[in-house]
Amino acid sequence: MYSKVSSACLYGIDGVMIEVEVDLASGIPQTTVVGLPDSAIREAVERVRSAIKNCGFTFPMQRITINLAPADIRKEGTAFDLAIAIGLLAASGQVQLPGLDRLLIIGELALDGALRPVPGVLAMVDLARRNGFHAVLVPEGNVQEALLLEGMTIYGLQHLKQLLPESDLDHGKQEQASAADSATWERLIRQPTRERDASAPAAEPSSIAEDYCDVLGQHHVKRALTIAAAGMHNLLLIGPPGTGKTMLIRRLPGILPALSPEESLEVTKIYSAAGLLRQHTGGLLTTRPFRSPHHTISAGGLIGGGGIPKPGEVSLAHRGVLFLDELPEFSRTALEVLRQPLEERRVTISRSRAAFTFPAHFLLTISLNPCPCGFFGNEPPQQLCTCSPYRIAQYREKISGPLLDRIDMHVEVPRPPKWQHDPEPRSSGEMRMEVEKAVSIQLERYAGSPYRRNGELSGAALRRTARILPEAEQLLQASFGALGLSMRAYDRIIKLSRTIADLEASSDIKSEHIAEAIQYRCLDRRSPSAS
């Protein structure tokens, strides 16, 4: 007595097809699970046993072998519970499901037979679609997530009892059918069971909705944020406490353009794999993510980790914003692991059996005080800096030179000399219009290439794209020697200039574009010894 059903598990953020084979043989009753299962899968035997008995089925009192193939891939999680239960019932002849060879089965079982949702369903359904499957059986709580992908028939199962003969297989049609009736199951398997709920709100990874019109003054910082959003340039804001650095950065998602359909699916799969996608969603994520981890986060929490690695904060911020508030408070180890994703826009985590790659293309934003007391360079005499040059240098040592070179813009946020009413504050809507115009220019320019935004350019692609006028080139060369810029900083000034030119709809990079870009490298121009 043998049966085989198809299931899937997560491997990073992608689904992997797993065949669940069940063999019943004569001998002393015992159940063995093979195929590199983790402890959660080994414990599935007890969950399945209780669920089968509590739903009116009979658990086979035989020698049971359950194989998860391919056997050389380590599996984890509870998504195999339902597949194991159906495999046992099919092998013992208690249910007859002739569509098992083209039905993907995913779900966790409760002891009473109820189905519980599992993370990563979107990636598994996408895998099934690419492998020619026509239908997926998932817990009711995962139905709306599974329906985000078109072209698949989705069956939502609430309870294992629904597989009993003559049970009510209600999938939105109130049809009475026998699970043991091959013709009835075949008819059900070919028909869509439900439509996506268009009235349900789309899930969003961030609920940020503040507007820049709430921020009085700081027009040069808003200009810098517009440039950063238009070209996806990493940004650092430095200034004393209370100047609005955090408030300014937290409003950045409001001026970023919406995700494209491809980006939307990519981001939604990451949130699904991390178990952060809301249940009963009405669509793919459309708002760019905003992640702001606490400064106590570990290197593993930042880039991902675990026996079978899960996405970290840099991947959860993919196609969005990663905000590190008060950067020197983060550990040096955690900060240094950012160098690979900032350069390669992906994270590779190696384990003994495999290497996992997660997407990590994000806009890094940072805020920090200029010194431990926070008032270095502050003008008001009542708040003068009390830190020595040594303490300031020690405070900034956590920001290594290579990491600082990977940040395109260093912008000072001074304290306003006095409170002033801003008669015409710039709103997020106005800034977003400027950003979208510049982004459309870049998308047209880079059509057919692997690049989308100016911040992604490097090497020969940057040289081809950045047409610098002779007088602008002279200004850049003079600044390079005077400021002692690294070659990486030199390239980043060119990329910034290209974005500034796009905001002005200029095909060439002019002197004023270079001059403005150089102004956004304040840490290249200042030294703590100046105190």
Side-chain angles (χ1 to χ4, degrees):
M1 290 180 286
Y2 169 86
S3 69
K4 180 173 68 175
V5 298
S6 297
S7 188
C9 69
L10 279 179
Y11 212 60
I13 63 168
D14 297 315
V16 176
M17 195 66 65
I18 301 296
E19 291 184 346
V20 179
E21 300 176 296
V22 178
D23 179 73
L24 306 182
S26 301
I28 298 175
Q30 66 175 15
T31 303
T32 304
V33 182
V34 297
L36 290 181
D38 72 343
S39 57
I41 297 175
R42 287 192 291 269
E43 292 171 354
V45 173
E46 301 307 319
R47 291 193 296 273
V48 170
R49 187 195 311 272
S50 298
I52 286 178
K53 290 181 178 179
N54 290 331
C55 290
F57 295 103
T58 302
F59 190 84
M61 298 302 294
Q62 296 171 273
R63 183 182 180 90
I64 302 172
T65 303
I66 301 169
N67 180 43
L68 306 177
D72 61 339
I73 295 178
R74 186 160 187 82
K75 296 92 178 172
E76 69 171 4
T78 58
F80 299 111
D81 288 9
L82 182 58
I84 291 173
I86 290 179
L88 282 168
L89 295 175
S92 58
Q94 298 181 65
V95 297
Q96 298 176 20
L97 307 179
L100 288 180
D101 59 335
R102 53 189 173 156
L103 175 70
L104 190 73
I105 302 173
I106 306 165
E108 176 186 340
L109 280 171
L111 297 184
D112 64 349
L115 268 295
R116 291 172 175 158
V118 296
V121 164
L122 187 63
M124 299 180 201
V125 174
D126 185 42
L127 172 73
R129 183 176 63 172
R130 288 186 279 108
N131 280 270
F133 282 71
H134 303 297
V136 181
L137 183 62
V138 298
E140 186 70 23
N142 286 124
V143 166
Q144 289 298 323
E145 180 181 343
L147 284 169
L148 295 178
L149 294 174
E150 298 179 354
M152 295 291 292
T153 300
I154 307 299
Y155 294 97
L157 199 64
Q158 295 179 341
H159 205 283
L160 194 62
K161 285 182 179 179
Q162 291 175 260
L163 296 180
L164 281 167
E166 300 299 330
S167 67
D168 181 10
L169 291 180
D170 176 23
H171 295 290
K173 294 184 177 296
Q174 297 294 330
E175 295 190 45
Q176 294 289 332
S178 170
D181 185 344
S182 300
T184 302
W185 182 260
E186 285 286 344
R187 176 167 51 81
L188 286 172
I189 213 81
R190 292 194 183 102
Q191 295 179 358
T193 60
R194 63 184 79 225
E195 298 296 330
R196 183 183 303 169
D197 183 5
S199 63
E204 303 293 347
S206 169
S207 60
I208 296 172
E210 294 92 344
D211 197 286
Y212 274 115
C213 64
D214 301 329
V215 182
L216 300 179
Q218 304 294 10
H219 296 292
H220 74 291
V221 185
K222 292 182 181 180
R223 167 69 173 176
L225 289 162
T226 303
I227 296 169
M232 290 295 285
H233 299 291
N234 300 324
L235 173 72
L236 181 151
L237 298 185
I238 180 170
T243 55
K245 301 185 297 295
T246 300
M247 183 170 61
L248 284 159
I249 292 178
R250 285 191 174 275
R251 284 159 172 74
L252 183 58
I255 66 173
L256 293 173
L259 293 166
S260 68
E262 297 79 12
E263 292 173 336
S264 183
L265 177 59
E266 201 174 10
V267 172
T268 308
K269 285 176 66 176
I270 294 173
Y271 274 74
S272 174
L276 299 177
L277 194 64
R278 297 177 187 173
Q279 300 300 325
H280 307 292
T281 63
L284 300 174
L285 302 179
T286 57
T287 300
R288 295 186 181 272
F290 181 90
R291 304 294 299 183
S292 180
H294 193 261
H295 66 263
T296 56
I297 191 171
S298 65
L302 201 56
I303 67 167
I308 296 181
K310 300 295 183 185
E313 289 293 332
V314 296
S315 296
L316 295 174
H318 181 62
R319 302 296 181 185
V321 179
L322 177 66
F323 176 36
L324 303 184
D325 196 4
E326 196 52 48
L327 185 73
E329 299 297 329
F330 288 78
S331 70
R332 180 69 177 265
T333 303
L335 293 177
E336 289 306 306
V337 299
L338 290 173
R339 289 162 61 174
Q340 183 205 9
L342 285 175
E343 199 70 25
E344 301 179 7
R345 300 180 184 86
R346 65 177 182 271
V347 171
T348 301
I349 302 175
S350 297
R351 292 291 182 263
S352 58
R353 292 184 176 271
F356 300 81
T357 299
F358 299 96
H361 188 184
F362 55 89
L363 170 57
L364 176 65
T365 56
I366 292 169
S367 72
L368 75 156
N369 294 330
C371 65
C373 78
F375 300 110
F376 171 68
N378 197 40
E379 293 300 330
Q382 67 272 20
Q383 291 179 316
L384 292 176
C385 176
T386 59
C387 303
S388 66
Y390 174 75
R391 286 192 65 200
I392 298 175
Q394 191 177 40
Y395 177 74
R396 295 186 183 180
E397 275 183 356
K398 288 187 178 179
I399 314 173
S400 66
L403 179 60
L404 195 61
D405 267 351
R406 288 169 170 82
I407 301 172
D408 300 353
M409 309 175 72
H410 316 149
V411 182
E412 291 182 286
V413 187
R415 185 186 298 277
K418 61 180 180 179
W419 187 90
Q420 293 178 340
H421 176 66
D422 194 347
E424 294 183 358
R426 295 193 69 194
S427 68
S428 294
E430 295 170 342
M431 297 167 67
R432 185 169 55 249
M433 288 178 62
E434 295 181 19
V435 169
E436 289 175 346
K437 289 179 181 178
V439 168
S440 64
I441 292 173
Q442 294 170 61
L443 292 177
E444 183 179 353
R445 178 192 300 135
Y446 303 129
S449 73
Y451 307 106
R452 298 183 185 180
R453 310 286 276 279
N454 293 329
E456 304 171 12
L457 296 175
S458 62
L462 178 61
R463 302 294 179 265
R464 289 194 306 268
T465 304
R467 296 190 299 178
I468 307 176
L469 295 180
E471 58 271 20
E473 181 68 36
Q474 292 176 5
L475 175 61
L476 182 57
Q477 293 295 338
S479 302
F480 181 76
L483 299 177
L485 300 175
S486 68
M487 288 304 299
R488 184 178 283 114
Y490 181 86
D491 284 352
R492 292 186 185 280
I493 289 175
I494 297 177
K495 288 190 285 187
L496 275 176
S497 304
R498 179 65 271 171
T499 301
I500 294 169
D502 288 338
L503 285 167
E504 297 182 1
S506 174
S507 58
D508 298 321
I509 297 176
K510 303 175 182 178
S511 299
E512 54 266 31
H513 304 149
I514 293 289
E516 184 178 359
I518 292 173
Q519 292 178 7
Y520 299 129
R521 302 288 302 183
C522 72
L523 294 184
D524 293 331
R525 298 183 278 110
R526 288 183 62 179
S527 170
S529 61
S531 64

